[in-house]
């Protein structure tokens, strides 16, 4: 099933500036968006969850996505990771539609092969880690580089150890996930996603399942990665301090729409919409 | 009534038959595992026709008796096609297909028990479907169902006498042949019964062991597995 908007996209030029969702003041200088959401809608059965999302994300940009529970933040990230198919609208990655492809010159629904190719640019870290319980930490991190990137065992392990060092777990290589604390599990999950070197990584409330005393270690790892710069990040979070510190831009979504977006200072010190003001009130 | 001397005379005849029975059991079991996996995986295919075909085949095989399937494969298939297989090959194929449909149900429950997050993490790591099955899903889905698989091994073992109907010289057919040659039924059938009892008990003990080992492993080093 191909949506109206996807057809339209095929008729337009991919570089159509008129379709730019982001006001020029917020747009990083130069560069084309790595990810573009255009009029993206998602319903689960009768329930509309996202009601028309326009969002451009630029290479290396750190975006914090905040909003009340149930506003569709996770759904947005999952669509980018190809875990959920939009009901309407287009998601472009590097200018190419994610959920549609061309066949005999006509746009058709993406098949698994197309999705497999496209999702190589995207990574995701989940709230509940989803480590592979039957594999050691090292095996968790080397599985995808070996199988997908076709690295040799030595290359993959070298890369994995480097990433695990980055998240402070190089001494846990041969341990099984069940022997790790929640914070350690999440750091392994981050290392596992990082080795695939995606252009954009979705972090979906990666500290929400953790005991409060373990939140800090995970957030500081993410801050470190953010400083390195090259990878764009979509940080879905309820940690306002963290969002303020890391994000280049903050998006506030509510009831399936982007209500307000801006630089962190503006969003947190000078929220314009009443909806956002009320939301931030709860974090004071 | 029981003549030990006659019983001892019978044993050499039972030895090859015993080997055939065990061979048919193990080969049939392995085929059942293979077909079971295929049916279970095809039953979850993204392509609706594959899913539908797999489920229909499973339903069809399960609704007909093993004996009828064995007859069909042994007598009808050679009439319909140029393929004619010996009794042993036909027999293990029938066992494998028949119990493969039950085994697929066992695997399905194991696969369903793997949390959805494991699939999603595999997608997020760009693993192919094939790699996800082989490295992520099946290694978590199969260990918990090993005891149930073991029970099917015993069921298949006890079902092998069905194959005497397609002339496979297994234990029961051997007993019948001996009995009709000597008109002494007591010893041959008792020996067959005892052999079945002994092997079944050994299988059960083995499964009990595996079960223990598995639950031990689950608690101690792979606690995340459910
Ligand atoms: N697979 C699904 N089937 C049906 N409804 C769903 C599904 N996934 C999400 N929803 C619904 O969509 C809405 C948005 O969910 P989503 O998880 O995207 O919100 P969220 O902003 O991430 O919330 P939270 O802050 O609680 O994580 C919710 O009402 C949820 O119940
Ligand atoms: Mg969420």
């Amino acid at each position: 099933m191909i949506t109206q908007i996807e057809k339209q996209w095929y008729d337009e030029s991919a570089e159509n500036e008129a379709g730019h969702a982001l006001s020029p003041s917020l747009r990083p200088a130069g560069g084309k968006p790595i990810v573009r959401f255009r009029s993206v809608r998602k319903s689960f059965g009768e329930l509309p969850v996202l009601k028309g999302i326009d969002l451009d994300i630029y290479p290396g940009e750190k975006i914090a996505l905040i909003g009340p529970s149930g506003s569709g933040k996770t759904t947005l990230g999952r669509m980018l990771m190809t875990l959920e198919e939009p009901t309407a609208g287009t998601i472009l990655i590097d200018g190419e539609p994610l959920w549609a492809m061309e066949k005999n010159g006509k746009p058709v629904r993406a098949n698994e092969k197309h999705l497999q190719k496209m999702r190589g640019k995207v990574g995701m870290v989940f709230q509940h880690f989803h480590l592979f319980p039957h594999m050691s930490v090292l095996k968790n991190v080397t599985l995808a580089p070996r199988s997908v990137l076709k690295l040799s065992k030595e290359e993959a392990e070298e890369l994995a150890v480097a990433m695990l060092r980055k998240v402070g777990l190089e001494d846990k290589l041969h341990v099984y996930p069940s022997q790790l604390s929640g914070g350690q599990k999440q750091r392994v999950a981050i290392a596992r996603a990082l080795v695939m070197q995606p252009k954009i990584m979705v972090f979906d409330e990666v500290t929400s399942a953790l005991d409060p005393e373990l939140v800090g270690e995970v957030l500081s790892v993410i801050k470190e990665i953010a400083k390195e710069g090259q990878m764009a990040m979509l940080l879905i979070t309820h940690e306002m301090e963290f969002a303020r510190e890391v994000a280049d831009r903050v998006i506030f979504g509510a009831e399936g729409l982007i209500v307000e977006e801006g630089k962190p200072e503006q969003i947190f010190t000078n929220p314009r919409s009443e909806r956002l003001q009320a939301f931030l009130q709860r974090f004071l | 009534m029981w003549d030990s001397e006659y019983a001892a005379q019978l044993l050499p005849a039972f030895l090859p038959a015993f080997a055939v029975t065990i061979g048919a059991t193990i080969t049939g079991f392995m085929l059942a595992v293979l077909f079971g996996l295929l049916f279970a995986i095809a039953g979850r295919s993204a392509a609706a026709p594959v899913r539908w075909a797999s489920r229909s085949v499973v339903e069809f095989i399960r609704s007909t008796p093993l004996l009828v399937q064995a007859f069909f494969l042994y007598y009808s298939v050679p009439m319909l096609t140029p393929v004619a297989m010996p009794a042993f090959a036909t027999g293990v194929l029938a066992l494998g297909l028949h119990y493969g449909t039950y085994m697929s149900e066992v695997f399905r429950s194991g696969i369903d028990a793997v949390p959805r997050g494991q699939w999603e993490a595999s997608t997020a790591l760009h693993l192919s479907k094939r790699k996800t099955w082989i490295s992520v899903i099946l290694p978590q889905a199969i260990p918990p169902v090993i005891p149930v698989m073991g029970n099917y091994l015993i069921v298949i073992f006890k079902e092998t006498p069905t194959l005497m109907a397609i002339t496979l010289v297994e234990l029961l057919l051997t007993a019948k042949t001996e009995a009709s040659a000597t008109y002494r039924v007591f010893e041959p059938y008792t020996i067959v019964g005892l052999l079945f009892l002994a092997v079944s008990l050994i299988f059960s003990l083995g499964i009990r062991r595996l079960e223990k080992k598995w639950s031990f492993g689950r608690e101690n080093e792979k606690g995340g597995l459910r």
Side-chain angles (χ1 to χ4, degrees):
Chain A
M1 173 188 30
I2 184 109
T3 64
Q4 205 53 48
I5 291 159
E6 271 160 346
K7 277 205 197 81
Q8 195 186 323
W9 176 82
Y10 269 91
D11 299 337
E12 291 172 14
S13 147
E15 310 300 332
N16 188 351
E17 277 296 304
H20 241 290
L22 192 56
S23 71
S25 67
L26 283 168
R27 228 181 281 163
K32 290 176 199 148
I34 169 88
V35 170
R36 308 183 82 178
F37 284 79
R38 291 182 63 188
S39 312
V40 173
R41 293 165 182 274
K42 176 70 186 176
S43 306
F44 291 105
E46 291 292 286
L47 177 75
V49 171
L50 294 173
K51 302 169 184 166
I53 298 293
D54 287 293
L55 172 63
D56 286 353
I57 303 174
Y58 288 83
E61 200 184 9
K62 318 299 180 232
I63 292 185
L65 178 53
I66 61 171
S69 185
S71 56
K73 305 182 296 296
T74 295
T75 305
L76 187 84
R78 288 171 58 84
M79 289 195 300
L80 187 57
M81 192 65 260
T82 71
L83 295 171
E84 217 77 73
E85 184 170 0
T87 314
T90 307
I91 301 172
L92 303 171
I93 298 181
D94 265 346
E96 198 176 341
L98 177 61
W99 283 100
M101 57 183 221
E102 236 178 79
K103 197 175 172 191
N104 306 326
K106 284 199 193 111
V108 295
R109 186 181 176 185
N111 60 15
E112 177 59 26
K113 193 169 158 233
H114 177 82
L115 291 175
Q116 182 69 11
K117 182 189 88 184
M118 296 298 290
R119 69 170 68 106
K121 295 173 183 169
V122 186
M124 183 162 180
V125 181
F126 301 88
Q127 189 174 349
H128 295 283
F129 337 126
H130 302 326
L131 292 182
F132 303 132
H134 56 300
M135 295 178 191
S136 69
V137 165
L138 185 63
K139 189 83 200 301
N140 261 278
V141 183
T142 53
L143 179 72
R146 290 206 60 191
S147 166
V148 182
L149 307 179
K150 309 287 180 213
L151 298 190
S152 72
K153 189 159 184 271
E154 290 70 32
E155 290 169 323
E157 286 184 353
E158 199 178 313
L159 187 62
V161 171
M163 288 302 171
L164 286 164
R165 187 171 301 130
K166 195 176 282 183
V167 301
L169 289 171
E170 73 269 33
D171 56 337
K172 300 282 184 195
L173 300 184
H174 304 292
V175 161
Y176 280 83
S178 62
Q179 293 164 283
L180 298 174
S181 73
Q184 290 171 330
K185 281 183 196 162
Q186 193 57 290
R187 285 187 281 150
V188 172
I190 291 170
R192 184 177 71 167
L194 280 178
V195 285
M196 296 307 284
Q197 300 178 326
K199 292 193 177 178
I200 177 162
M201 182 106 89
V202 180
F203 292 81
D204 185 12
E205 297 197 33
V206 295
T207 57
S208 293
L210 300 178
D211 292 336
E213 73 270 21
L214 301 177
V215 169
E217 66 187 56
V218 172
L219 291 186
S220 61
V221 159
I222 298 175
K223 283 179 205 163
E224 279 307 309
I225 299 162
K227 273 193 207 133
E228 287 176 15
Q230 322 87 324
M231 186 176 71
M233 294 179 163
L234 180 61
L235 300 147
I236 301 167
T237 185
H238 286 295
E239 303 279 341
M240 295 305 144
E241 272 309 308
F242 169 71
R244 187 172 193 156
E245 198 175 327
V246 177
D248 302 317
R249 178 154 52 115
V250 179
I251 311 271
F252 171 66
E255 283 147 29
L257 288 168
I258 293 178
V259 175
E260 192 167 339
E261 64 178 305
K263 298 235 180 272
E265 311 86 76
Q266 185 256 306
I267 291 288
F268 291 115
T269 56
N270 192 17
R272 282 189 279 259
S273 61
E274 268 175 42
R275 196 81 180 71
L276 177 55
Q277 285 162 11
F279 175 75
L280 290 174
Q281 211 67 44
R282 279 187 275 144
F283 291 90
L284 293 180
Chain B
M1 205 160 28
W2 173 265
D3 182 344
S4 296
E5 209 168 302
Y6 172 51
Q9 273 172 27
L10 283 174
L11 283 179
F14 277 118
L15 224 73
F18 184 68
V20 166
T21 295
I22 296 291
T25 303
I26 290 172
T27 322
F29 175 75
M30 291 193 308
L31 284 176
V33 169
L34 187 75
F35 287 128
L37 278 175
L38 286 179
F39 290 142
I41 292 172
R44 281 182 151 259
S45 165
V50 176
R51 245 176 7 242
W52 182 85
S54 156
R55 285 175 192 172
S56 314
V57 169
V58 166
E59 202 50 47
F60 174 75
I61 294 178
R62 235 190 276 183
S63 324
T64 51
L66 173 62
L67 186 58
V68 176
Q69 291 159 8
F71 274 153
F72 181 80
L73 287 175
Y74 194 65
Y75 295 111
S76 307
V77 167
M79 292 167 68
L80 299 169
T81 69
V83 182
M85 288 186 299
F88 184 83
T90 311
V92 296
L93 183 63
L95 283 174
L97 277 173
H98 191 84
Y99 286 99
T101 64
Y102 292 93
M103 207 70 97
S104 78
E105 202 55 33
V106 173
F107 288 130
R108 200 182 58 79
S109 73
I111 291 163
D112 285 349
V114 177
R116 200 163 60 120
Q118 295 291 306
W119 290 96
E120 298 188 342
S122 305
T123 302
L125 290 170
H126 320 145
L127 297 181
S128 65
K129 280 270 137 50
R130 190 188 141 86
K131 186 70 183 171
T132 302
W133 275 113
I134 293 174
S135 293
V136 178
I137 305 303
L138 293 180
Q140 296 184 67
I142 292 176
V145 300
I146 284 176
V148 190
M149 289 167 67
N151 286 333
Y152 274 107
L153 177 68
I154 297 178
V155 172
I156 290 172
F157 173 62
K158 290 193 298 182
E159 222 30 64
T160 49
T162 304
L163 303 183
M164 73 184 257
I166 56 166
T167 74
L168 185 70
V169 186
E170 45 66 65
L171 283 173
L172 192 61
L173 185 56
T174 306
K176 189 167 170 264
T177 313
E178 293 297 334
S180 51
T182 59
Y183 299 105
R184 293 164 75 175
V185 293
F186 190 67
E187 289 83 356
Y189 291 131
T190 307
I191 290 173
V192 168
L194 288 175
L195 281 173
F196 270 101
L197 181 66
V199 174
S200 291
L201 284 176
I202 292 167
F203 280 159
S204 320
L205 275 176
I207 294 162
R208 197 86 38 89
R209 276 248 173 109
L210 270 180
E211 217 164 335
K212 273 216 190 90
K213 189 173 159 207
W214 163 240
S215 59
F216 178 84
R218 182 162 45 178
E219 272 158 26
N220 283 281
E221 64 164 40
K222 298 175 183 175
L225 278 187
R226 265 173 295 139

